[in-house]
Amino acid sequence: MPDSSSPILRFGVIADPQYADIEPNPDLKRYYAESLPKLAEAVSAFNAAELDFVVTLGDVIDRDWRSFDDVLPIYGTLRHKHLFLLGNHDFAVAPRYLGEVAARLAMPARYHDFAIGTWRFVILDGNDVSVFSAPAGDPRTALAAERLRALQAEGAINAHPWNGSLGDEQLQWLSGVMEKAEADGEAVLVLGHYPVFPPNKHNMWDSQRIVDLLTGFSCFRGYFCGHNHDGNFGEADGRPFVTFKGMVDTADENTFAIVEVFEDRIEIEGFGREEGRVLPFKV
């Protein structure tokens, strides 16, 4: 019988630091510059723990290319491997930098996957087809405008320009990763910037097709994301969809998490505003 008392792996989670060297906007609950000391506090907690990696679920910065120069050195003090996802605000830079954001974050690709033992982690790029992540003349920008208009015509609650969607090529790639993981007996955790479930104004434009794809595989163990700074939680077909709270939202109270993966469950230890959760696997 598998040992369910000891974690298979552990990793740290940060969502939406959204750093910028600008004045706070209390009406929006945005304390941009205060993310630097909060990140340092999170790094200190992570460095005191044995972790396989730390992931930031997008929106490392709020705006301006130079913001990366201030925030990335803090990540450099981590003793663990650290990974980034791309968020909408990471593209709030001068147009000439749009194609360089992933490289600035030392990402191997805008979307990719990796394995630790029998666990496969999938990193999605929800900005793939969006109105902000590519130059105006890029075909993806025109496609994004078309998708957004169609959703607005339907009155969809997530028909907003700050959301995005997967390109068909990325969706096919995701399906292939899931098929191979299923065949190889792996468990899969998907990490994205944007929520896809439960329905919410911050969700990806193509949330339903992503949920349908993922829940069609028994190897799918859950979906972790940021973007909705209030946090959220739901289950689809018995699988958890967890939205982590945004770090930028408070003047001084922090929010981050350490996730432990067991044979039969995932446990989330929340720090500050982040909630603790126990997520049993569907049997």
Side-chain angles (χ1 to χ4, degrees):
M1 179 178 295
D3 179 11
S4 62
S5 62
S6 299
I8 301 167
L9 56 90
R10 306 174 80 218
F11 61 95
V13 175
I14 296 168
D16 301 86
Q18 221 167 297
Y19 166 76
D21 185 16
I22 57 176
E23 291 298 311
N25 187 334
D27 292 339
L28 290 179
K29 296 194 301 183
R30 298 291 185 269
Y31 297 84
Y32 310 99
E34 298 309 315
S35 285
L36 291 188
K38 285 185 279 187
L39 274 171
E41 180 185 15
V43 166
S44 179
F46 293 148
N47 281 342
E50 295 303 321
L51 304 176
D52 291 276
F53 62 89
V54 172
V55 62
T56 298
L57 298 171
D59 282 0
V60 178
I61 63 167
D62 179 77
R63 68 192 77 175
D64 298 332
W65 186 253
R66 69 178 183 273
S67 295
F68 288 119
D69 295 333
D70 294 336
V71 73
L72 291 182
I74 298 178
Y75 284 99
T77 65
L78 269 169
R79 70 182 183 94
H80 308 294
K81 177 181 179 181
H82 56 283
L83 310 168
F84 296 103
L85 277 72
L86 296 171
N88 51 310
H89 282 275
D90 295 317
F91 290 96
V93 296
R96 68 181 183 275
Y97 293 123
L98 287 174
E100 300 178 29
V101 177
R104 187 69 182 90
L105 295 172
M107 298 176 66
R110 286 179 51 156
Y111 58 89
H112 58 99
D113 64 297
F114 63 94
I116 299 176
T118 60
W119 275 79
R120 185 155 298 277
F121 293 85
V122 176
I123 306 292
L124 294 183
D125 175 22
N127 314 279
D128 194 2
V129 178
S130 66
V131 297
F132 50 79
S133 64
D138 191 291
R140 290 172 299 170
T141 305
L143 176 58
E146 180 183 320
R147 288 183 177 182
L148 181 56
R149 282 194 300 269
L151 286 171
Q152 289 171 335
E154 296 171 8
I157 62 172
N158 61 333
H160 299 290
W162 61 77
N163 296 327
S165 57
L166 301 186
D168 290 341
E169 182 178 334
Q170 185 177 175
L171 191 76
Q172 292 169 5
W173 167 84
L174 175 60
S175 180
V177 170
M178 299 301 296
E179 288 172 0
K180 187 174 188 307
E182 189 103 300
D184 292 346
E186 294 178 328
V188 179
L189 188 65
V190 180
L191 308 175
H193 176 62
Y194 301 90
V196 294
F197 187 85
N200 184 274
K201 68 179 182 179
H202 296 288
N203 285 14
M204 288 181 66
W205 296 336
D206 52 347
S207 292
Q208 193 57 57
R209 70 173 182 170
I210 297 170
V211 173
D212 289 345
L213 188 158
L214 295 176
T215 55
F217 292 93
S218 61
C219 63
F220 172 59
R221 294 289 184 268
Y223 183 97
F224 288 0
C225 64
H227 189 56
N228 177 2
H229 296 194
D230 292 334
N232 208 348
F233 177 79
E235 289 187 347
D237 191 36
R239 266 67 76 84
F241 289 76
V242 182
T243 304
F244 290 82
K245 294 180 178 179
M247 182 177 278
V248 73
D249 281 37
T250 57
D252 48 26
E253 189 179 7
N254 214 337
T255 182
F256 57 94
I258 290 178
V259 178
E260 294 187 321
V261 177
F262 295 83
E263 289 285 350
D264 61 348
R265 69 193 185 279
I266 291 174
E267 293 189 5
I268 299 174
E269 179 185 3
F271 293 77
R273 293 163 46 236
E274 190 56 62
E275 298 175 44
R277 302 180 187 274
V278 177
L279 309 172
F281 296 145
K282 180 183 177 182
V283 294

